[in-house]
Every structure is written in structure tokens, then in C-alpha cells.
Amino acid sequence: MATVALPQTKAVKVRPTRQYDNYFFSAMALLILVTVVVGFARTYFLAGVFRAPLPSVIIHIHGAVFTSWIFLLITQTALVSAGRVDIHRRLGLAGFGLACLMVFLGVLAASNSLGRGFVPPGAPFDPKTFYAIPLVDMLVFAVLVFFAYRARFNPAAHKRIILIATISLMDAPTGRPPFAVITARPFLGSTFVLIFLLLLVAYDLWSTRKVHRVTIWAGVSVLIAQQLQIPIGSTAAWHTFATWMQTLARSSH
């Protein structure tokens, strides 16, 4: 009886993507936490949090809520790693509400700072120009969270959008010492945001041998928005708007 030898196929090594996803996204969440703590150490965390000499109650609330988002990110990645996706999804609904509150408080805090004429130490901008930075950040964050919510049943896309939405806020802690040694220089303001995004790109290439389409469009959107902040804030139309908001903020004190 004749036998037919079947051609041998070369085995393709497939990495356990889900396992490495747990490691990578957990590590990124912790790295973001460290960045936030270092950036706000002098003015908030090491100053005693609730006893920190912040200028208003709204800034205290803003700081507490935004910090809660980072801890929620860590909790959510830990739940996925532990296989408790059921709790992760239920907590995700609360997370969406927290994100909406963050946008509201972010605009309030930025307007409060504008009313006080505040800019971060070393920032080469006047308060009205600087006002464009947090408002654009809030717009980008809100849009990304919306798309993350829509993609909640697509884990690969959802977790990348949530991560990039959080990264889009990193110009706040990295705009302060000790990071300001770099970010205060011309054209280097988005350096750390770019580094975070490149880490995600590198992981995509390593784990799947291609960059996820969400990483591309969301990451590019964040970088473009950050490059447009100062040009927008320098326009006459923006200064007119900022002057109106400054008057409104001062009258509400």
C-alpha cells in the first residue's frame, strides 16, 4: 500500500498575547502613576494632599478625581489579569461616569486657574494662551473615552483607547519639575507623551508584528492636538474667548 508524504509546514511561534497584554498594560498603568506622583509631588502629594496649599477647593477636588482615575486604571488592569472581567465591566460603567466628571472638573479647574492668572512655573506662555492646553486636553480625553465606550466589547481596541486617553493627560504632570527641564524647551513639550505612545507602538510590533489601527489613529490624534494647542491659544479669537472666560471666572469668586 503506497503512502503519501505530506509536506511539513514550518511551525509559527505564536506569543500568548493575552498574557503579555496583562503584563504590559499593568506596567503602563503603574508607570503613569509614578509619573503623576513625581510631577505633582511638590505641590500635592508630598504637600499632604488634603493639606496641600492649593489655591481653591475646586483644585483639590480636581486633583482627587484625576488621581482616582489613575487608581481605577490600575484596578481595571488588575481585574483583567485576575480573570474577573465581570467585575471589570461593571466597574467600567462607574469609570465612564468618572471620566465625564473629570472633563467637567477639568474645565472648571482650568477656568479657575485662568481667573487667577496662573501658569505653571517656567511656562513661556501668558495665562490666556496657556488656557488652550487644558481645554484641548479635555476635548481629546472626552472624545477618546467616548470611542473607548463604543469599543467596550472589543478588548484590544478598548484598552488601547483608554490607555491613550490617559496618556493624553500626561502633559500636566510632565509640564512640572523635574520633567520641566525637558518639556519647557521649545518643541519638546510633548516629549513624554510621545515616549508613552512609542512604548505602545513597540509593544504592538513585538506582540502582533503590526501596529494596532487604534494605536495609530488615537495616538496620532493626541500628538496633532498637542501640537495645535499653542497655535490655537495664540490666536486673537482664542484670546477674546479666554478674556470672556477669565472675566466670568473672576466674577464667580
Side-chain angles (χ1 to χ4, degrees):
M1 180 176 179
T3 59
V4 179
L6 296 177
Q8 293 184 347
T9 57
K10 185 178 181 181
V12 178
K13 185 178 180 181
V14 179
R15 295 188 175 97
T17 305
R18 181 173 299 179
Q19 178 184 351
Y20 284 114
D21 275 5
N22 294 337
Y23 295 150
F24 174 76
F25 286 94
S26 295
M28 288 294 288
L30 290 173
L31 181 59
I32 287 172
L33 175 63
V34 171
T35 303
V36 170
V37 170
V38 172
F40 290 109
R42 299 181 185 180
T43 59
Y44 188 59
F45 294 106
L46 295 184
V49 183
F50 295 109
R51 296 182 180 180
L54 299 181
S56 69
V57 174
I58 190 64
I59 303 299
H60 272 284
I61 298 174
H62 164 267
V65 170
F66 274 61
T67 302
S68 297
W69 173 263
I70 306 301
F71 283 112
L72 177 63
L73 179 66
I74 293 173
T75 301
Q76 289 290 67
T77 55
L79 286 170
V80 172
S81 298
R84 296 311 307 266
V85 179
D86 54 334
I87 300 176
H88 172 90
R89 287 177 176 171
R90 288 198 294 268
L91 193 57
L93 295 176
F96 182 76
L98 180 64
C100 295
L101 180 61
M102 288 169 64
V103 174
F104 176 71
L105 288 173
V107 174
L108 281 184
S111 300
N112 180 277
S113 297
L114 175 65
R116 292 182 283 104
F118 170 81
V119 292
F125 317 115
D126 62 274
K128 295 177 184 178
T129 300
F130 178 78
Y131 186 55
I133 295 178
L135 259 62
V136 171
D137 282 348
M138 288 300 94
L139 175 62
V140 172
F141 179 77
V143 170
L144 289 177
V145 166
F146 168 75
F147 279 105
Y149 180 79
R150 287 188 59 187
R152 64 191 182 279
F153 297 116
N154 181 348
H158 174 77
K159 57 191 172 187
R160 281 170 172 78
I161 302 175
I162 287 293
L163 178 62
I164 294 173
T166 307
I167 291 172
S168 73
L169 303 177
M170 289 299 101
D171 57 352
T174 59
R176 291 165 169 78
F179 304 110
V181 173
I182 296 174
T183 56
R185 298 181 180 182
F187 309 111
L188 295 180
S190 300
T191 298
F192 291 96
V193 171
L194 178 60
I195 290 173
F196 279 116
L197 292 174
L198 288 177
L199 287 174
L200 179 56
V201 169
Y203 175 73
D204 280 354
L205 289 173
W206 178 82
S207 61
T208 65
R209 293 182 172 81
K210 64 179 180 179
V211 182
H212 198 286
R213 60 187 180 87
V214 160
T215 302
I216 296 173
W217 72 255
V220 170
S221 297
V222 168
L223 292 175
I224 291 175
Q226 294 205 337
Q227 294 305 311
L228 291 177
Q229 289 170 336
I230 301 307
I232 290 173
S234 301
T235 63
W238 181 265
H239 273 245
T240 300
F241 168 71
T243 299
W244 177 73
M245 288 298 296
Q246 187 177 58
T247 302
L248 188 64
R250 288 174 176 173
S251 64
S252 63
H253 286 172

